[in-house]
Amino acid sequence: MAFRANEAVTDGFESARNYLIPRDLESSEREKSERMLLDITKRYGPAIKEYPSWHPLVAAQNEPFVRWPDTVPSHKCGYRGLDHTTYFANAFISCPYHEEALLESVEALKYSSHVAEISATKLDVKFYHSDAIPILVKCDWHHEIYQNGMIPAAVAVPLMLKKEIPNYEQAKYAENWESMRPHFLGVPHGSRSSLFVDQKTALSMKKIWDLLVETGMFGPEKNKHKVY
């Protein structure tokens, strides 16, 4: 089935709105929450299901070698206190009932580089539940990204390499592009693009990954590896 980005964006927004905005809110509070949600999607991108493994919001894995790293924020990425969380292309909203753990863990990440910076702020709206405390954890890119929010190859490729190259010391076999595509493109995705990267960037990533696999640095390809 072809990847229909516009449908994915619309479906993602409806899902996020249904999950985050309580139905029992007064009309004025509901309108305020809906405006905030719309503003967040305009600034930080559409609702998504999983990040690329190289995305700054999930790249700081605690374990030195993880064959299949987390592609959604978790304690393995350094976050504490996550609860009732919704993901967007360059941010996520978590709605715990006590905010200290999450705010402190984001501060402790200290992810700041020439590429991007991660920070967190409390939101003055009602999301998920009237007693919850919505927190926006955001990735602000220092490197210029495309006007439509897509991440260019100049950013995506080096972040992918930074994430994957260290794995060659422990790898027993290589995963081909087909098996790695969800981890490199994010979810939802199609065969050649996603809500994070366009076809041109995805093709550049594929070419470089195929070249790395061909060198044998990760070992033989998994689907070609025979066990005797």
Side-chain angles (χ1 to χ4, degrees):
M1 181 180 294
F3 178 57
R4 297 179 173 86
N6 290 337
E7 290 184 13
V9 170
T10 300
D11 292 346
F13 181 81
E14 290 301 319
S15 178
R17 181 169 61 181
N18 291 337
Y19 183 75
L20 286 174
I21 301 179
R23 296 185 180 278
D24 59 352
L25 285 181
E26 294 183 1
S27 59
S28 59
E29 283 287 350
R30 186 175 182 84
E31 290 175 3
K32 182 179 179 181
S33 296
E34 288 184 345
R35 286 197 303 271
M36 175 65 76
L37 180 59
L38 187 59
D39 288 344
I40 289 171
T41 58
K42 286 182 177 179
R43 182 169 182 179
Y44 294 104
I48 55 95
K49 295 180 180 179
E50 296 180 30
Y51 295 95
S53 58
W54 46 264
H55 195 286
L57 286 172
V58 295
Q61 304 282 319
N62 292 332
E63 300 177 25
F65 173 74
V66 181
R67 188 60 193 165
W68 300 113
D70 281 14
T71 51
V72 295
S74 71
H75 68 282
K76 294 181 181 179
C77 306
Y79 301 108
R80 293 182 293 108
L82 293 170
D83 203 2
H84 313 300
T85 306
T86 301
Y87 315 117
F88 303 88
N90 294 302
F92 62 85
I93 298 171
S94 196
C95 303
Y97 294 95
H98 303 282
E99 77 272 23
E100 291 84 1
L102 181 52
L103 292 174
E104 290 173 0
S105 66
V106 173
E107 177 66 22
L109 282 178
K110 297 188 182 303
Y111 187 100
S112 181
S113 70
H114 72 287
V115 176
E117 181 176 357
I118 296 175
S119 60
T121 184
K122 289 195 293 185
L123 299 175
D124 184 24
V125 293
K126 300 293 184 183
F127 278 150
Y128 185 74
H129 189 278
S130 297
D131 294 331
I133 304 171
I135 296 174
L136 177 69
V137 180
K138 53 187 179 176
C139 172
D140 290 307
W141 295 98
H142 297 324
H143 195 290
E144 185 176 356
I145 62 175
Y146 294 139
Q147 190 172 7
N148 62 1
M150 293 291 179
I151 302 170
V155 176
V157 169
L159 287 179
M160 179 185 74
L161 293 176
K162 181 180 179 181
K163 186 70 177 178
E164 294 299 325
I165 291 296
N167 291 337
Y168 89 94
E169 294 184 345
Q170 292 86 10
K172 299 292 191 299
Y173 52 81
E175 297 283 354
N176 61 29
W177 174 258
E178 294 302 317
S179 62
M180 295 299 289
R181 181 163 48 194
H183 299 274
F184 290 159
L185 300 187
V187 180
H189 68 82
S191 61
R192 300 178 181 177
S193 64
S194 71
L195 298 182
F196 293 92
V197 297
D198 61 18
Q199 291 190 28
K200 182 179 179 181
T201 296
L203 180 59
S204 296
M205 297 171 71
K206 181 181 185 301
K207 287 180 177 179
I208 291 174
W209 182 252
D210 287 345
L211 180 60
L212 292 178
V213 170
E214 288 175 8
T215 68
M217 61 184 290
F218 298 116
E221 284 191 53
K222 184 178 181 181
N223 60 354
K224 295 181 180 179
H225 182 57
K226 295 182 180 180
V227 178
Y228 295 95

